[in-house]
Structure formats: C-alpha cells, structure tokens
Amino acid sequence: MKVTDLSHLIHSSMPVFPGTEQPTFQRANTLEKDGFLEAKITMYSHTGTHIDAPAHMHQNGSYLDEFAIDKFIGTAIILDFSRSNTQVLDIESIISHEETIRNIDFLILKTGWSKYWGNPKYYKGFPYLTEESAKWLSQFALKGIGIDAISIDDIESSSFPVHKILLEKNIVIIENLTNLDSIDPRASFLLSVMPIKNKQADGSPVRAISIEL
C-alpha cells in the first residue's frame, strides 16, 4: 500500500485566495507558564488544500457536516493536462474519458500548477473547466472533482459559474491539491479528503491523501 499526502502545509505566510487573510497561529499556552503547549488558530474555511460545500455558493445548499462520512472517500482517477498548451479544459479535453468517469467517485484534474505554489504565477494562467464541461460532468454520479490549482473556475471570474454548476449537483470541489506527480497515472486509487467536522461548514481545510493498493 502506497499512501501519498496531497495537501499543502498550512502556515502563517502561505498563499491564500486573493482578498482573504493568511492564517494566524497564536501561542495560547506554553510549557513554561501552563505546563502544556496549545495554539489558537485563526483562518478562513477555504484555506490551503480544502473542500467546498454546496452552501459555499448556493443559498439552500448543503453544508459539509450534512453529508455522510463516505461522501469524502472513494475511488479516483487523474486526468493529466500538465503538458497541455491550453488553459481551457473544454468537453473535447475530457469526453474521451467518459467510460472511466462513469465508474469512479472522484475526478482529479492535474494542471501541474502546484509547482508554482508560493510564486505569484500560481494565481494566474492555470487551466480551468468551462461551463460546458462542468455541465457535462454534472451528469455523472461523482462525489467530487479536484484540481491542483487555486480555483476550478477562471481566476478572472467573479460569478464562479463552474463552482455553481457542480455544487448544485452536490459534487464537492477540492482545490489546491499537490504531489499529483507521485501517483501512478495509469490506474485508479483511493482518495480521502476528510474535512473538519464543524457545524454549518461551507468549506474546510482537508488532509487529502491517496492510497494505491
């Protein structure tokens, strides 16, 4: 069994979505003063490698804590676009994988953009799904779709149409994945993206891992 960590490290100077704040870690208790070590952590619910709930974009959408636990684990495949010259992931890019997509729980879009993590380039130029692609993918019984970039939508979009299309169908979105090069691209694997179990979670950082048997 091979287990791979697909999550970025959370720290106070990490990249975050433009307009949000970086997490803060405050030393609340110390060994010297209190006899134990504890920190107070403040961060947005979509920090780092994270998962989006339908409630993130829809007024009456489900929160993460309303899903059964098996929503966050299942079989996955990677579609590799890291060597593609296109920024737009249209239907023609994915339709040939239809039969495979029908038989998995999670679809992972590998753009190669995680290599720019911590670099200003990370925020622009990454491949993203078109609305047409999102509508086509929403017909499948997918639990979720992930990407190794900061958004599954065009970074220039202010209406987030791809998010809305997928989340309306209860297809959760995982963003800021990393280490996808470590996974065998020829086979499916088990993906686990467990969120923090807090009430009315519109999103949550996750410790995303792949398990190859």
Side-chain angles (χ1 to χ4, degrees), residues 104-115:
I104 48 97
D105 298 311
F106 292 94
L107 176 64
I108 305 301
L109 306 172
K110 179 182 173 182
T111 69
W113 230 250
S114 61
K115 67 185 176 184

Side-chain angles (χ1 to χ4, degrees), residues 27-185:
R27 186 58 52 83
N29 298 97
T30 66
L31 290 171
E32 294 77 14
K33 178 177 179 293
D34 306 291
F36 60 93
L37 194 61
E38 190 171 15
K40 178 183 177 182
I41 303 171
T42 303
M43 64 182 176
Y44 279 61
S45 53
H46 298 259
T47 296
T49 305
H50 68 273
I51 190 170
D52 296 346
H56 180 47
M57 292 285 171
H58 293 288
Q59 184 69 37
N60 298 312
S62 297
Y63 294 99
L64 294 177
D65 51 295
E66 295 176 327
F67 288 118
I69 193 66
D70 63 1
K71 177 72 170 177
F72 310 111
I73 189 168
T75 57
I77 61 159
I78 292 174
L79 297 189
D80 189 353
F81 300 100
S82 61
R83 294 175 178 81
S84 173
N85 293 322
T86 181
Q87 186 182 356
V88 179
L89 304 180
D90 54 23
I91 286 184
E92 287 70 26
S93 303
I94 56 179
I95 198 168
S96 62
H97 303 278
E98 179 175 357
E99 194 57 37
T100 302
I101 294 170
R102 288 190 184 279
N103 295 296
I104 48 97
D105 298 311
F106 292 94
L107 176 64
I108 305 301
L109 306 172
K110 179 182 173 182
T111 69
W113 230 250
S114 61
K115 67 185 176 184
Y116 298 119
W117 182 257
N119 185 302
K121 185 174 174 60
Y122 189 70
Y123 300 101
K124 56 186 178 182
F126 55 83
Y128 59 88
L129 283 178
T130 63
E131 291 182 54
E132 191 179 17
S133 294
K135 289 175 182 176
W136 184 79
L137 286 168
S138 69
Q139 71 179 302
F140 298 100
L142 290 168
K143 292 182 179 181
I145 297 178
I147 193 167
D148 58 345
I150 201 163
S151 180
I152 205 164
D153 267 296
D154 183 358
I155 194 67
E156 301 298 330
S157 172
S158 58
S159 57
F160 309 105
V162 173
H163 277 76
K164 290 176 180 176
I165 291 166
L166 298 177
L167 294 173
E168 185 177 28
K169 297 293 186 177
N170 283 338
I171 299 174
V172 298
I173 297 167
I174 309 107
E175 293 166 322
N176 293 325
L177 289 165
T178 190
N179 291 334
L180 296 182
D181 283 338
S182 299
I183 302 173
D184 184 348

